[in-house]
mmCIF file with all atom_site columns, all heavy atoms in Angstrom:
data_model
loop_
_atom_site.group_PDB
_atom_site.id
_atom_site.type_symbol
_atom_site.label_atom_id
_atom_site.label_alt_id
_atom_site.label_comp_id
_atom_site.label_asym_id
_atom_site.label_entity_id
_atom_site.label_seq_id
_atom_site.pdbx_PDB_ins_code
_atom_site.Cartn_x
_atom_site.Cartn_y
_atom_site.Cartn_z
_atom_site.occupancy
_atom_site.B_iso_or_equiv
_atom_site.pdbx_formal_charge
_atom_site.auth_seq_id
_atom_site.auth_comp_id
_atom_site.auth_asym_id
_atom_site.auth_atom_id
_atom_site.pdbx_PDB_model_num
ATOM 1  N N   . TYR R 1 3   ? 120.835 33.480  17.521  1.00 43.00 ? 225 TYR R N   1
ATOM 2  C CA  . TYR R 1 3   ? 121.388 34.763  17.997  1.00 43.00 ? 225 TYR R CA  1
ATOM 3  C C   . TYR R 1 3   ? 120.459 35.927  17.716  1.00 43.00 ? 225 TYR R C   1
ATOM 4  O O   . TYR R 1 3   ? 120.677 37.025  18.201  1.00 43.00 ? 225 TYR R O   1
ATOM 5  C CB  . TYR R 1 3   ? 122.744 35.043  17.332  1.00 43.00 ? 225 TYR R CB  1
ATOM 6  C CG  . TYR R 1 3   ? 123.787 33.997  17.650  1.00 43.00 ? 225 TYR R CG  1
ATOM 7  C CD1 . TYR R 1 3   ? 124.157 33.059  16.699  1.00 43.00 ? 225 TYR R CD1 1
ATOM 8  C CD2 . TYR R 1 3   ? 124.394 33.968  18.912  1.00 43.00 ? 225 TYR R CD2 1
ATOM 9  C CE1 . TYR R 1 3   ? 125.104 32.101  16.993  1.00 43.00 ? 225 TYR R CE1 1
ATOM 10 C CE2 . TYR R 1 3   ? 125.344 32.999  19.191  1.00 43.00 ? 225 TYR R CE2 1
ATOM 11 C CZ  . TYR R 1 3   ? 125.705 32.074  18.251  1.00 43.00 ? 225 TYR R CZ  1
ATOM 12 O OH  . TYR R 1 3   ? 126.647 31.136  18.539  1.00 43.00 ? 225 TYR R OH  1
ATOM 13 N N   . VAL R 1 39  ? 106.230 71.614  29.305  1.00 85.00 ? 261 VAL R N   1
ATOM 14 C CA  . VAL R 1 39  ? 105.452 70.381  29.138  1.00 85.00 ? 261 VAL R CA  1
ATOM 15 C C   . VAL R 1 39  ? 105.884 69.342  30.175  1.00 85.00 ? 261 VAL R C   1
ATOM 16 O O   . VAL R 1 39  ? 105.055 68.675  30.805  1.00 85.00 ? 261 VAL R O   1
ATOM 17 C CB  . VAL R 1 39  ? 105.603 69.838  27.700  1.00 85.00 ? 261 VAL R CB  1
ATOM 18 C CG1 . VAL R 1 39  ? 104.986 68.452  27.591  1.00 85.00 ? 261 VAL R CG1 1
ATOM 19 C CG2 . VAL R 1 39  ? 104.957 70.786  26.708  1.00 85.00 ? 261 VAL R CG2 1
ATOM 20 N N   . LEU R 1 90  ? 113.703 88.279  102.550 1.00 94.00 ? 312 LEU R N   1
ATOM 21 C CA  . LEU R 1 90  ? 114.805 89.192  102.845 1.00 94.00 ? 312 LEU R CA  1
ATOM 22 C C   . LEU R 1 90  ? 115.677 88.628  103.960 1.00 94.00 ? 312 LEU R C   1
ATOM 23 O O   . LEU R 1 90  ? 115.267 87.707  104.676 1.00 94.00 ? 312 LEU R O   1
ATOM 24 C CB  . LEU R 1 90  ? 114.267 90.565  103.268 1.00 94.00 ? 312 LEU R CB  1
ATOM 25 C CG  . LEU R 1 90  ? 113.438 91.346  102.254 1.00 94.00 ? 312 LEU R CG  1
ATOM 26 C CD1 . LEU R 1 90  ? 112.790 92.538  102.933 1.00 94.00 ? 312 LEU R CD1 1
ATOM 27 C CD2 . LEU R 1 90  ? 114.294 91.813  101.086 1.00 94.00 ? 312 LEU R CD2 1
ATOM 28 N N   . GLY R 1 92  ? 117.859 89.707  107.503 1.00 94.00 ? 314 GLY R N   1
ATOM 29 C CA  . GLY R 1 92  ? 117.857 90.737  108.531 1.00 94.00 ? 314 GLY R CA  1
ATOM 30 C C   . GLY R 1 92  ? 118.737 90.335  109.701 1.00 94.00 ? 314 GLY R C   1
ATOM 31 O O   . GLY R 1 92  ? 119.196 89.195  109.799 1.00 94.00 ? 314 GLY R O   1
ATOM 32 N N   . LYS R 1 116 ? 128.986 91.903  138.548 1.00 93.00 ? 338 LYS R N   1
ATOM 33 C CA  . LYS R 1 116 ? 129.850 90.992  137.810 1.00 93.00 ? 338 LYS R CA  1
ATOM 34 C C   . LYS R 1 116 ? 129.135 90.546  136.538 1.00 93.00 ? 338 LYS R C   1
ATOM 35 O O   . LYS R 1 116 ? 127.923 90.719  136.389 1.00 93.00 ? 338 LYS R O   1
ATOM 36 C CB  . LYS R 1 116 ? 130.224 89.795  138.660 1.00 93.00 ? 338 LYS R CB  1
ATOM 37 C CG  . LYS R 1 116 ? 129.042 89.019  139.180 1.00 93.00 ? 338 LYS R CG  1
ATOM 38 C CD  . LYS R 1 116 ? 129.486 87.901  140.115 1.00 93.00 ? 338 LYS R CD  1
ATOM 39 C CE  . LYS R 1 116 ? 128.284 87.134  140.669 1.00 93.00 ? 338 LYS R CE  1
ATOM 40 N NZ  . LYS R 1 116 ? 128.718 86.040  141.575 1.00 93.00 ? 338 LYS R NZ  1
ATOM 41 N N   . GLN R 1 188 ? 126.092 118.601 144.386 1.00 88.00 ? 410 GLN R N   1
ATOM 42 C CA  . GLN R 1 188 ? 125.467 117.287 144.540 1.00 88.00 ? 410 GLN R CA  1
ATOM 43 C C   . GLN R 1 188 ? 125.278 116.607 143.171 1.00 88.00 ? 410 GLN R C   1
ATOM 44 O O   . GLN R 1 188 ? 125.460 115.395 143.051 1.00 88.00 ? 410 GLN R O   1
ATOM 45 C CB  . GLN R 1 188 ? 124.120 117.422 145.253 1.00 88.00 ? 410 GLN R CB  1
ATOM 46 C CG  . GLN R 1 188 ? 124.255 117.690 146.752 1.00 88.00 ? 410 GLN R CG  1
ATOM 47 C CD  . GLN R 1 188 ? 122.911 117.903 147.419 1.00 88.00 ? 410 GLN R CD  1
ATOM 48 O OE1 . GLN R 1 188 ? 121.942 118.332 146.772 1.00 88.00 ? 410 GLN R OE1 1
ATOM 49 N NE2 . GLN R 1 188 ? 122.846 117.630 148.717 1.00 88.00 ? 410 GLN R NE2 1
ATOM 50 N N   . SER R 1 213 ? 141.144 101.450 137.507 1.00 91.00 ? 435 SER R N   1
ATOM 51 C CA  . SER R 1 213 ? 141.569 102.108 136.268 1.00 91.00 ? 435 SER R CA  1
ATOM 52 C C   . SER R 1 213 ? 141.124 103.565 136.264 1.00 91.00 ? 435 SER R C   1
ATOM 53 O O   . SER R 1 213 ? 140.104 103.938 136.868 1.00 91.00 ? 435 SER R O   1
ATOM 54 C CB  . SER R 1 213 ? 140.982 101.396 135.057 1.00 91.00 ? 435 SER R CB  1
ATOM 55 O OG  . SER R 1 213 ? 141.364 100.039 135.024 1.00 91.00 ? 435 SER R OG  1
ATOM 56 N N   . GLU R 1 324 ? 105.531 86.505  70.033  1.00 90.00 ? 546 GLU R N   1
ATOM 57 C CA  . GLU R 1 324 ? 105.045 87.852  70.306  1.00 90.00 ? 546 GLU R CA  1
ATOM 58 C C   . GLU R 1 324 ? 105.119 88.210  71.790  1.00 90.00 ? 546 GLU R C   1
ATOM 59 O O   . GLU R 1 324 ? 104.652 89.264  72.201  1.00 90.00 ? 546 GLU R O   1
ATOM 60 C CB  . GLU R 1 324 ? 103.601 87.996  69.811  1.00 90.00 ? 546 GLU R CB  1
ATOM 61 C CG  . GLU R 1 324 ? 103.475 87.805  68.303  1.00 90.00 ? 546 GLU R CG  1
ATOM 62 C CD  . GLU R 1 324 ? 102.031 87.869  67.845  1.00 90.00 ? 546 GLU R CD  1
ATOM 63 O OE1 . GLU R 1 324 ? 101.133 88.012  68.724  1.00 90.00 ? 546 GLU R OE1 1
ATOM 64 O OE2 . GLU R 1 324 ? 101.792 87.786  66.632  1.00 90.00 ? 546 GLU R OE2 1
#
Side-chain angles (χ1 to χ4, degrees):
Y225 299 105
V261 171
L312 298 170
K338 57 185 179 180
Q410 285 177 334
S435 302
E546 298 177 357

